[in-house]
Amino acid sequence: MLYGIVATVVAVLLTAVLTTCVRLLGLRTGLVDRPGGLVDRPGGLVDRPGGLVDRPGGLVDRPGGLVDRPGGRKTHARATPHTGGLAVVAGTVTVVCTGYAPLGPGIAVLLCAAGAVALLGFVDDLRPLGVRPRLIVEAGAAVAVVWASGLTPAAGVLAVGWIVLVTNSFNLIDNADGAMGVVGVVTALGLALCAAAEGLSGLALLLCVLAAALTGFLTQNWHPARIFPGNCGSLFTGFVLACATVLVHTGHEPLPGAVGLVALTVVGLADTVLVALARRRAGRPLLIGGTDHIAHRLRRVGFTVPGAAVVLGATAFAGTLTGVLMHRGAWGPLAALPLFLAVAAGVWALLRVRVYDRPVPDTARRAPHVGRPRRSRTT
C-alpha cells in the first residue's frame, strides 16, 4: 500500500518534469503541430484564409468560404509540440520497472507490447504512416498480450480485435486539450480497482502509475495546452487500458464481461461510432480527419474547451463506475442500460450538430489519404 502511494506520487512529479523537458525538445527540434484553419479568437471562431467568422451578429461566410479539406482543420492558435507521449511513456515505465513490487510475467509482456505501440505512435508523429502498418503492429502487440493471458483461440481473436478498436478510439478522442488525459485517468483508476479485486496486484500498480503519469502530463495539457500527447501518448494509453479491460474480465461470464468492457470504454467507443456515422451520412471518407468529434460538437453548441473535457470525463466516470460495480457483482448487466441509452441519445443529438459547412470535394472522395488523421483541436 505504502509503495503504491509513493509510486503514484513519484510518477506525477517525474512526468510533470519530463513533460517540460520534452516540450522544450519539441520546440527546439520543430516537432510541433502548426496551426491551420479554424482559430479561436476573442471575437469568435475564424477560419483563415477567407473562411468562416463567428461574430456577435452571427456566422459570416466570407468570399472564399469554409472548405473542409481532406485532413481536417487544426484549431489551435500556435505551434505546439506533440512530444508529450514520450513523457507519459517514460514516466510510467520508469516508475513501474525501477520499483520493488512484483509485477509478474504477464505485466512484463504487456509493457513490452505497449512500448512497441508507443514506438509506432512516435514514428507516426515524425512521419505519418498508413493504416496497414499501424494495424499490423497493434494487432501483433495485442496477440502477444492475449497469448500470455491464456485465453482460448476464439476468445483470443475477439480480444485482439477489441484491443485494436479501443486503442484507436483513444487516439481519436485526443482532439481537444485535456480530453484524452482526463478520460485516461478516470478509466485507469477504475480498472485498477477491478484488477485489485481480481488479485492482479501488478496490473493494478501499472494502472495507478499510468493514471498518475497522465495527471502529471495534464499540468501542461490542460487548456490552453502547451503540449500534446501525440499518437505516441494516446496509442500507449489506449493500448494499456484496452489490454487491462480484457485481463480483468478473463474468466468472467460472457454477457457481464462484454457489457463491462463496453461500459469501461464508453467514451472512446461513442466518439468512434459518432464519427463513423456522421462521415458515412455525409459521404465523406472515414479515414480523413476533421473537426467532427464529440469535443468539437460540444464546442459548437456553446461549451468551452475545458467544459468539453469535463463532460467527457464525467461520462467516463459514469461508465467506469458502472463497470466497476458490475465487476464486483453489485450490479447486473441490465444496470448498464440507462448509461447506454443516455450515451446513445447524446450521440444522436450530437449527430444533428452541423459540422460540415460544405460538401467534401469529389476528388477527396475518390482518392482518400489513409495516413494518420491530422490532429484537430480547439484552443
Side-chain angles (χ1 to χ4, degrees):
M1 180 66 179
L2 179 60
Y3 175 78
I5 295 175
V6 173
T8 53
V9 172
V10 171
V12 171
L13 298 177
L14 177 61
T15 306
V17 173
L18 290 175
T19 301
T20 301
C21 296
V22 296
R23 176 176 176 272
L24 295 175
L25 174 65
L27 291 173
R28 287 181 176 273
T29 57
L31 298 177
V32 297
D33 253 351
R34 302 192 181 280
L38 196 66
V39 180
D40 196 359
R41 300 297 187 192
L45 296 175
V46 182
D47 190 12
R48 303 297 186 186
L52 188 69
V53 182
D54 188 5
R55 297 301 184 195
L59 293 176
V60 180
D61 196 2
R62 291 181 173 173
L66 179 63
V67 180
D68 253 330
R69 299 181 179 86
R73 301 187 302 275
K74 299 180 181 181
T75 57
H76 49 288
R78 61 185 177 184
T80 306
H82 53 75
T83 51
L86 295 175
V88 175
V89 175
T92 302
V93 174
T94 299
V95 173
V96 170
C97 293
T98 57
Y100 299 99
L103 296 178
I107 305 304
V109 173
L110 173 56
L111 279 177
C112 291
V117 173
L119 180 60
L120 165 75
F122 182 64
V123 172
D124 201 17
D125 287 327
L126 297 178
R127 184 175 182 178
L129 302 172
V131 173
R132 184 176 299 176
R134 288 182 54 165
L135 292 180
I136 291 175
V137 174
E138 292 166 2
V143 167
V145 175
V146 170
W147 182 273
S149 69
L151 287 172
T152 62
V157 171
L158 295 176
V160 169
W162 172 262
I163 291 171
V164 172
L165 173 64
V166 174
T167 298
N168 287 283
S169 74
F170 267 83
N171 186 226
L172 289 178
I173 62 174
D174 174 31
N175 51 59
D177 297 348
M180 192 280 295
V182 169
V183 174
V185 169
V186 173
T187 307
L189 291 177
L191 283 170
L193 293 176
C194 296
E198 291 289 324
L200 302 173
S201 57
L203 180 61
L205 175 63
L206 171 61
L207 292 166
C208 287
V209 171
L210 174 61
L214 289 171
T215 301
F217 173 71
L218 279 170
T219 59
Q220 297 194 52
N221 183 239
W222 194 250
H223 182 71
R226 292 183 289 173
I227 190 170
F228 300 148
N231 289 332
C232 176
S234 60
L235 290 177
F236 174 81
T237 300
F239 184 83
V240 172
L241 296 179
C243 292
T245 60
V246 171
L247 294 176
V248 299
H249 287 91
T250 300
H252 286 231
E253 293 294 325
L255 179 60
V259 175
L261 288 174
V262 176
L264 286 163
T265 55
V266 68
V267 171
L269 297 178
D271 189 65
T272 302
V273 171
L274 172 65
V275 171
L277 289 176
R279 293 179 185 175
R280 181 172 180 81
R281 288 175 56 186
R284 308 172 77 84
L286 180 61
L287 299 177
I288 292 181
T291 54
D292 53 0
H293 295 265
I294 291 179
H296 300 129
R297 294 170 187 267
L298 290 174
R299 187 76 176 92
R300 293 251 182 177
V301 299
F303 282 85
T304 62
V305 179
V310 169
V311 169
L312 292 176
T315 307
F317 177 78
T320 300
L321 180 62
T322 301
V324 170
L325 291 175
M326 289 179 56
H327 184 270
R328 300 295 296 270
W331 287 0
L334 287 178
L337 185 60
L339 170 69
F340 294 161
L341 290 176
V343 171
V347 169
W348 178 83
L350 290 174
L351 272 173
R352 302 171 66 87
V353 177
R354 183 184 177 190
V355 293
Y356 305 128
D357 295 274
R358 289 191 178 179
V360 69
D362 290 337
T363 55
R365 289 198 186 100
R366 290 194 300 266
H369 173 66
V370 294
R372 173 175 61 96
R374 295 183 184 177
R375 206 171 279 98
S376 302
R377 55 183 74 241
T378 307
T379 59

